Amino acid sequence: MLLQAIAIDDEPSALTIIKSHATKVSFLNLAATFTNPFHGIEYINDQAPDIVFLDINMPDISGLQLLKNLTKKPLIIFTTAHSEYAVKSYEVEAVDYLLKPFDYARFLLAVTKAKEKLTVTKKSTNPFFFVNTGNQKQRLFYDDIYYIEGEGNYVNYHTQKGKVMVRSTIKKTLALLTTDVFIQIHRSYIVGLSWIDKIEDNHVFVGDNRIAIGATYRDSFLQVINELNG
């Protein structure tokens, strides 16, 4: 599941940090940033992003006041240099509260919380979905998919019943997988967590298939694995 996010902060330097962190998270797309909070309100009400990184202390309107102007309610991760706002942020049910300056590890923890919350609310009740294969639509069961391999303008679903080729991209495919059992581990690979037999030497093994873990995705992948272990 690829989460769509925006960031609103009157300080351009703060937005630069969020942009830098966001590029390292495989399941997050930072679609837009705003130093003008009113432009941010318009975007949220029109585009309905999944997550908003929102500064609390802004000169024209506070982040808390901004929330009252939203017709659509995304998940909120507050960002601020003022710790005294922490209690108020939780009163409005923010997902998390990032105290500036925050590092990548703390940022990743916040967006992982948001992903978990969205997974619960967006998770499909159907155990399957359909993909276009030429002139046909083919049904695929989530539980049958070992891994997905990107190859140019196509992706290959490797399943219990064989390989299914679809004209698409890894990014678009990730957005289809609304369950919580898939994770991108490389720019060209998504794997089903339940089919991973072992992890060794920066590779995962799915049956006889050895798949490299990309450096960009390693930290988020290992964090998910650690969370599964409790």
Side-chain angles (χ1 to χ4, degrees):
M1 177 168 54
L2 184 65
L3 307 184
Q4 302 297 324
I6 68 166
I8 303 173
D9 198 305
D10 62 306
E11 298 179 3
S13 59
L15 293 176
T16 298
I17 292 171
I18 293 174
K19 287 179 185 177
S20 175
H21 291 337
T23 59
K24 301 172 186 175
V25 182
S26 62
F27 56 83
L28 185 69
N29 176 45
L30 188 66
T33 61
F34 300 92
T35 53
N36 185 323
F38 300 103
H39 292 167
I41 291 171
E42 292 175 4
Y43 185 97
I44 294 167
N45 289 336
D46 182 50
Q47 299 295 326
D50 297 309
I51 302 170
V52 175
F53 298 97
L54 180 60
D55 186 21
I56 294 180
N57 190 26
M58 295 182 286
D60 296 320
I61 183 172
S62 74
L64 295 168
Q65 291 169 330
L66 184 149
L67 291 179
K68 298 177 182 179
N69 290 275
L70 300 180
T71 57
K72 298 178 179 178
K73 303 295 184 182
L75 296 183
I76 300 296
I77 297 175
F78 279 120
T79 61
T80 182
H82 304 278
S83 60
E84 63 267 24
Y85 289 116
V87 173
K88 289 184 178 180
S89 73
Y90 290 113
E91 288 176 353
V92 295
E93 299 182 344
V95 173
D96 209 341
Y97 176 92
L98 296 177
L99 186 62
K100 299 175 183 177
F102 48 86
D103 59 15
Y104 172 69
R106 185 65 185 85
F107 178 88
L108 179 61
L109 179 61
V111 295
T112 300
K113 286 182 183 179
K115 181 185 179 185
E116 290 171 351
K117 189 165 185 176
L118 280 168
T119 296
V120 172
T121 57
K122 288 188 172 184
K123 186 175 181 180
S124 173
T125 57
N126 292 322
F128 59 82
F129 62 105
F130 288 88
V131 294
N132 294 318
T133 57
N135 296 324
Q136 299 178 338
K137 288 186 179 292
Q138 184 164 339
R139 184 177 63 180
L140 296 177
F141 284 87
Y142 292 112
D143 289 346
D144 287 348
I145 301 170
Y146 299 139
Y147 65 94
I148 302 158
E149 175 187 15
E151 190 175 2
N153 294 322
Y154 291 86
V155 295
N156 294 307
Y157 289 85
H158 295 265
T159 77
Q160 286 186 296
K161 296 181 179 179
K163 185 170 73 172
V164 178
M165 179 178 283
V166 176
R167 185 175 179 85
S168 187
T169 64
I170 284 290
K171 184 175 182 178
K172 291 179 181 177
T173 301
L174 195 62
L176 284 176
L177 304 175
T178 56
T179 68
D180 58 355
V181 296
F182 294 94
I183 187 167
Q184 186 173 3
I185 65 165
H186 185 278
R187 62 185 177 85
S188 299
Y189 287 96
I190 301 168
V191 297
L193 286 167
S194 62
W195 292 107
I196 296 175
D197 294 311
K198 65 178 179 178
I199 303 165
E200 183 180 1
D201 296 331
N202 291 323
H203 288 78
V204 300
F205 291 79
V206 179
D208 295 329
N209 301 285
R210 181 172 181 263
I211 304 171
I213 303 169
T216 304
Y217 307 93
R218 186 176 300 120
D219 289 345
S220 57
F221 170 65
L222 293 177
Q223 179 169 339
V224 168
I225 295 300
N226 289 335
E227 289 173 355
L228 288 174
N229 290 335

